[in-house]
Amino acid sequence: MTFYITTAISYVNGAPHLGHAYEAIATDVIARHMRQRDEEVFFLTGTDEHGEPVADAAHAQGVTPQELADTNAARFKALMPLLSISNDFFIRTTDEEHQRRVQEVLQRVHDNGHTYKGLYEGWYCPRCADFKVENEILEGNLCPIHEIPLVREQEENWFFRLSTFQEPLERLYAERRDFVMPPVRFNEASAFISSGLQDISLSRARLNWGVTVPWDPSHVFYVWFDALLNYYTALGYARNGHDLTPTFWPANFHVIGKDILKFHTVFWPAMLLAADLPLPEHVFVHGFLLGADGRKMSKSLGNVLDPFQVLDRFGSDALRFYLMRDVAFGADGAVGMESVTARYEGELANEYGNLASRTIAMIRRYRDGVVPDAATDPELAEAFRGLTANVTVLMDGADVTTALERIWQLVRRCNRYVEERAPWTLAKDPATAGALDETLASLAEGLRVLSVLLSPYLPTSTATLLEALGAPETSLPAAEFRATGGGRTVAALEPLFPKRDR
Ligand code: ME8
C-alpha cells in the first residue's frame, strides 16, 4: 500500500515561524507512523514562491523576487532537519519542472473549456493574494484574516468556471463525509459551497512574477493555482527520471491550516475535476497556534514563541512532543515557553525519561545488564492490550494528540507498576528473585513497546533508548507486548531529557 501526505507550502515573503513548524511536525508524525505500518510513504513539503505577497516583500527589501525566494526557501529547507522532519522531497514552486507541469495541467483545463476571458472587479487582499466575496468581508472593508483594508481591483483576467462545479462539489460532499476533517471544517467548507459558487480568476495580467499562461503569455497564473498544483507536480520530478505519479496520486492527506480552507476544499477539488484528475482522499484542517495570552502571535504583542529558541534550549523531540501534546490537533491552542518547560520537566523528564533510566539502571544493578529471560506480568500485558490497534485507528483520523494521550496513559501505568512492585525491595530477598525477574522483564518490555509507539513523536530519544535496550526494531508489529522476552543486554543510558537552565 502507498501513502502520500503533504503540508501546505510556505510563503517565502517571511521567515519560518512556529505555525510552519507545527504543521510540519504533525504531518511528520503521521508519515513516520505510516512507515511503521510498512506503507510506502511519500511525504512532501516545500515553499510557495510566486505571486504578489512575495513580489511586494522583495520590492520593499530592494531585492528581486528570485533573490528573496532563494534566501527564504533556504531557511525553510534548513528548518526541516532541525525539527527531525522526514520529508521525501522539498518542492519550490520556482522549480522549472513544477512550472512546466502547472502549464500542462492548466492547459488541459483550458482545452476542456473551463476558462474564459473577462473583466474582474472586486475586493482584493494583497497579503492573501485573494479576491474576497461579499460574505467574507469584515466591516469597514477589511480582510477577515489580516484585518487590513481591501483594495478595489479591476483587470482583465482569465476566469475559471468554478460555478459549473457547484453540483459536482455538492455530490462530493454528500458522498464523502471525511473528505474534509475534522467535521467542523467539513461543515464550514460545505456551507461555503451551498452559499453559491462564483467563477474565480485564474490569471493576473499586471504581475509577471508567476508561471506564464501558455495560451496567453501576457498573463501569469493566479498564484493559488500554481501553488495548489505543487502536490501533483512534485511527483513528476522528485525522483529524477522516475515518475511517481502513478504510484502516489491521488494524495491520501493534505494537511493545512484553517486560514486556507477555501482553496483546498473548494477550488482545489474543482480544479482537479476540470483537469480530469482524481481527487485526494482527505484534507485535514488544523487550528492556529496563539500566544500564551490566547491572542494571535505577533511581535508587537511580544507573545511570539520562537521555534529556534525552543530547539536551542530543549531540542527537537521536546518541541515536537510539546506541540503534539499541548495543542489538540484540529483546534486552536495557546503556546508559551512556560508550558514548554512544564511539559519537558513534568512529562518527558519525570515520566518517560525517568521510566527509562530507572528500568535500565535496575536491570544493570540487579541482573548484570541482562533483561531476565522470564514471562512478563499478565496484568501489565492486559493494560497494553489493544493499545497499538487503538493508536492505529486514531492515526487513520490524523488524531495525533489523542493517540499520544493514549500512549502516555501507559507511560504512567508503567511508572505506577514500578512503585507497586518496588523492585528495590524484591532485590533484597533471594526468595523473591522470580518476582524481580518478572518485574524487570515486564518493565523492559513495556518501555520497549512504548518507545516503538512514541518513535514518530520522539524520533531521536526513542532511537537512543531502543538501542540501549538492544531492540532497535520500530515497525508496528514490534509494538505488541510479548508474553516472554529477555536475554538481551542493555547498555548504560545518559538521561534522555537532562535538566535545563531556566
Ligand atoms: O498559506 N498556527 O503559506 P503560509 C498554525 N503559501 N498554523 C499556521 C499559523 C499559526 N499561527 N500560521 C500559519 C500559505 N500557519 C500558502 C499555502 S498551499 C498550496 C499554499 C499555517 O506560509 C497555515 O495555515 O502563510 C498554512 O497551512 C501553513 O502554515 C503555511 O502558511
Side-chain angles (χ1 to χ4, degrees), residues 137-158:
I137 298 174
L138 292 188
E139 237 188 78
N141 260 329
L142 301 182
C143 165
I145 292 157
H146 297 102
E147 298 178 18
I148 57 169
L150 298 170
V151 189
R152 193 74 188 163
E153 291 237 354
Q154 194 190 53
E155 74 172 28
E156 196 161 53
N157 280 175
W158 282 94

Side-chain angles (χ1 to χ4, degrees), residues 9 50 91-104 211 225-234 237:
I9 49 173
H50 287 131
I91 188 171
R92 298 185 53 187
T93 56
T94 50
D95 292 345
E96 259 172 47
E97 297 91 331
H98 164 76
Q99 304 197 51
R100 204 163 36 241
R101 243 177 150 207
V102 166
Q103 289 180 323
E104 212 176 277
V211 177
F225 290 112
D226 164 3
L228 286 163
L229 277 164
N230 90 87
Y231 304 130
Y232 178 74
T233 65
Y237 69 96

Side-chain angles (χ1 to χ4, degrees), residues 97 235-244:
E97 297 91 331
L235 296 176
Y237 69 96
R239 293 287 171 270
N240 239 339
H242 178 54
D243 186 1
L244 297 173

Side-chain angles (χ1 to χ4, degrees), residues 447-478:
L447 186 58
R448 188 189 67 76
V449 169
L450 289 170
S451 303
V452 174
L453 291 173
L454 287 171
S455 66
Y457 298 88
L458 304 169
T460 310
S461 43
T462 53
T464 307
L465 177 54
L466 287 169
E467 195 61 46
L469 283 175
E473 178 59 44
T474 55
S475 73
L476 219 52

Side-chain angles (χ1 to χ4, degrees), residues 8-11 17 20 23 48 231 257 259-260 286-289:
I9 49 173
S10 312
Y11 282 132
H17 56 65
H20 296 120
E23 187 171 295
D48 181 359
Y231 304 130
D259 56 330
I260 54 176
H286 62 75
F288 256 46
L289 302 183

Side-chain angles (χ1 to χ4, degrees), residues 167-224:
E167 257 178 53
L169 288 181
E170 280 172 0
R171 209 164 335 123
L172 166 71
Y173 276 72
E175 283 165 8
R176 288 171 49 185
R177 306 288 303 178
D178 58 0
F179 176 63
V180 180
M181 295 154 56
V184 57
R185 301 296 171 198
F186 177 94
N187 294 339
E188 189 181 331
S190 175
F192 184 87
I193 294 165
S194 314
S195 73
L197 298 178
Q198 299 170 16
D199 293 344
I200 48 172
S201 6
L202 180 66
S203 76
R204 308 292 322 260
R206 251 185 295 169
L207 195 71
N208 58 13
W209 181 237
V211 177
T212 307
V213 175
W215 64 89
D216 184 353
S218 64
H219 287 231
V220 296
F221 284 115
Y222 174 44
V223 61
W224 265 102

Side-chain angles (χ1 to χ4, degrees), residues 318-333:
L319 176 61
R320 294 169 65 100
F321 178 78
Y322 170 68
L323 290 174
M324 295 303 96
R325 188 132 171 84
D326 232 38
V327 184
F329 199 48
D332 292 348

Side-chain angles (χ1 to χ4, degrees), residues 101-115 160 202 214-215 221 229 232 245 249 271-278:
R101 243 177 150 207
V102 166
Q103 289 180 323
E104 212 176 277
V105 175
L106 293 177
Q107 180 72 53
R108 192 154 70 235
V109 171
H110 178 67
D111 295 344
N112 285 349
H114 299 298
T115 65
F160 171 55
L202 180 66
W215 64 89
F221 284 115
L229 277 164
Y232 178 74
T245 319
W249 193 261
M271 183 57 64
L272 288 169
L273 289 171
D276 305 317
L277 290 171

